Amino acid sequence: MRRAIAEAVRVLRAGGLVAFPTETVYGLGADARRPAAVARIFAAKGRPADHPLIVHVADQAEARRWARAWPEPAHRLAEAFWPGPLTLIVDKAQDVPDEVTGGQPTVGLRVPDHPLALELLRAFGGGVAAPSANRFGSVSPTTAAHVALELGDSVDLILDGGPCRVGVESSIVDLSRATRRAVAKGADADADGTDRSSERAPRLLRPGGLPRERIEAVLGAPLSTGPGRTRAPGTLPSHYAPRARVLAVSAEALDEQVERVASAGEGPVVVLGPRAVPGAAHLPLPADPEGAARALYSALREVDARRFAVAVVPLPEERGLGAAVADRLRRASAPRPGPDGT
Ligand code: TXA
Ligand code: MG
């Protein structure tokens, strides 16, 4: 075993925090069986304690230990996409600590597709609860240096696995009981006649590194969208935001919007996208959605590092990874809560 992995396992067993690379973004991990260790994650992130964490495991067999039951769609999706950028929400096993699930009856599970993460999870042999390794509400880290800059001393160990290959967080699919039971019943209307069919299908809680189209192809049915009954704080409107104002615009309106913002006198304007626009600085983002996803969070950090006041970003087409990129850009451009939390 690599020395760094042995050290990381030692830190986890002692109740410490280990930041580790995954294919999506870096995670901030703790032993998911130890409430005190999990509490340290919330303190380090400045995250409200009722927000649930994803439990990272080495394989499907370990995932099942955290679930009350393992529904057929979970098996099918895990077989098709794990290790990979997909988180499954299922009913939790009784012994899963409330600190991990934010008190909800469900748990999020994922097998990450990164050699270091898998080595760590296999050597550790249990579940590692890990949110993205950033301060609450800010941009997820895609390099070890991002983690060090943002969380520094509050992490006991950072495993450096280089830049993340996917670059945006996992796709989250809710397969929990409320959803499943209704699917099994197959009824589209409640006793009161209300059509609840859209609440019943497996639900995409967060578009991410695994395109929706691929998930639907394996399920053989469309995913429903939106927050539904399960709360997912990563779906707060103003998540994933840099300090600068982000303005997500349609690709057609880019030039016009840049001209408008540049003349408004808010400060230096930068365009984040495949092409430069007169009147603004330019930070290139690849035109292909995979490339854009990989580069997006680094680019948003660069916007702040270079002290731009406004970043104008053309929205990609919402197919494949373009849906996740567009989702993060919309959230980054949503109105921010004030310092008093309003
Ligand atoms: O790619 C990823 O998913 C990364 C890497 C580190 O695995 N993790 C990540 O974690 O993005 P985090 O905590 O930043 O976002 C996890 C999202 C949150 O929106 C949370 O609300 C949702 O997953 N989540 C976790 N458990 C849940 C549950 N039981 N029910 C509903 N949502 C849940
Ligand atoms: Mg996060």
Side-chain angles (χ1 to χ4, degrees):
M1 201 196 316
R2 274 185 250 201
R3 260 235 321 271
I5 296 289
E7 176 63 10
V9 169
R10 198 192 59 71
V11 170
L12 288 175
R13 296 220 167 109
L17 298 184
V18 174
F20 62 98
T22 80
E23 79 280 36
T24 58
V25 301
Y26 275 71
L28 178 62
D31 181 346
R33 295 278 180 208
R34 293 172 64 132
V38 173
R40 289 191 57 200
I41 294 179
F42 291 94
K45 276 189 67 101
R47 188 187 212 187
D50 63 343
H51 286 199
L53 302 176
I54 296 170
V55 177
H56 296 70
V57 291
D59 51 37
Q60 193 179 170
E62 177 64 24
R64 295 177 74 137
R65 297 197 181 101
W66 295 76
R68 201 181 61 106
W70 198 240
E72 196 275 333
H75 179 75
R76 216 180 322 154
L77 291 175
E79 289 290 318
F81 299 121
W82 280 357
L86 172 68
T87 295
L88 298 176
I89 307 292
V90 294
D91 296 328
K92 76 177 190 79
Q94 214 178 355
D95 56 359
V96 180
D98 278 342
E99 284 76 4
V100 170
T101 65
Q104 304 200 49
T106 54
V107 62
L109 294 160
R110 156 166 135 82
V111 180
D113 186 16
H114 190 289
L116 266 187
L118 286 171
E119 214 181 312
L120 173 67
L121 293 167
R122 287 188 193 118
F124 178 66
V128 173
S132 50
N134 52 281
R135 301 276 306 165
F136 181 62
S138 86
V139 177
S140 294
T142 52
T143 68
H146 295 164
V147 180
L149 272 174
E150 199 156 332
L151 295 176
D153 289 347
S154 47
V155 189
D156 298 303
L157 180 72
I158 302 176
L159 290 175
D160 189 346
C164 299
R165 175 172 57 79
V166 175
V168 291
E169 299 82 352
S170 59
S171 303
I172 305 181
V173 173
D174 185 0
L175 299 169
S176 62
R177 184 166 38 163
T179 308
R180 224 173 48 243
R181 192 198 286 138
V183 168
K185 262 201 310 201
D188 279 351
D190 279 358
D192 64 359
T194 314
D195 183 355
R196 303 220 190 278
S197 51
S198 66
E199 285 176 29
R200 290 183 171 138
R203 184 176 289 272
L204 183 65
L205 295 183
R206 177 175 75 182
L210 183 65
R212 167 187 206 130
E213 298 87 334
R214 296 190 55 199
I215 304 171
E216 291 177 334
V218 165
L219 286 174
L223 289 162
S224 68
T225 320
R229 276 170 284 198
T230 315
R231 270 178 330 103
T235 59
L236 287 175
S238 72
H239 244 67
Y240 313 103
R243 186 180 39 73
R245 187 161 82 86
V246 177
L247 194 63
V249 302
S250 77
E252 298 74 44
L254 180 61
D255 293 76
E256 181 192 314
Q257 292 286 348
V258 167
E259 195 183 313
R260 191 179 59 78
V261 175
S263 61
E266 270 182 75
V269 178
V270 63
V271 168
L272 232 60
R275 70 177 176 89
V277 174
H282 183 218
L283 281 171
L285 266 190
D288 67 297
E290 289 77 21
R294 196 175 301 129
L296 179 67
Y297 287 151
S298 281
L300 289 174
R301 282 171 189 271
E302 186 71 13
V303 167
D304 281 352
R306 293 174 51 183
R307 304 196 171 282
F308 289 107
V310 188
V312 187
V313 200
L315 286 162
E317 262 192 79
E318 302 207 25
R319 271 188 287 116
L321 279 194
V325 172
D327 172 79
R328 302 309 187 270
L329 286 174
R330 285 210 194 82
R331 292 180 202 289
S333 59
R336 316 276 169 83
D340 58 351
T342 54

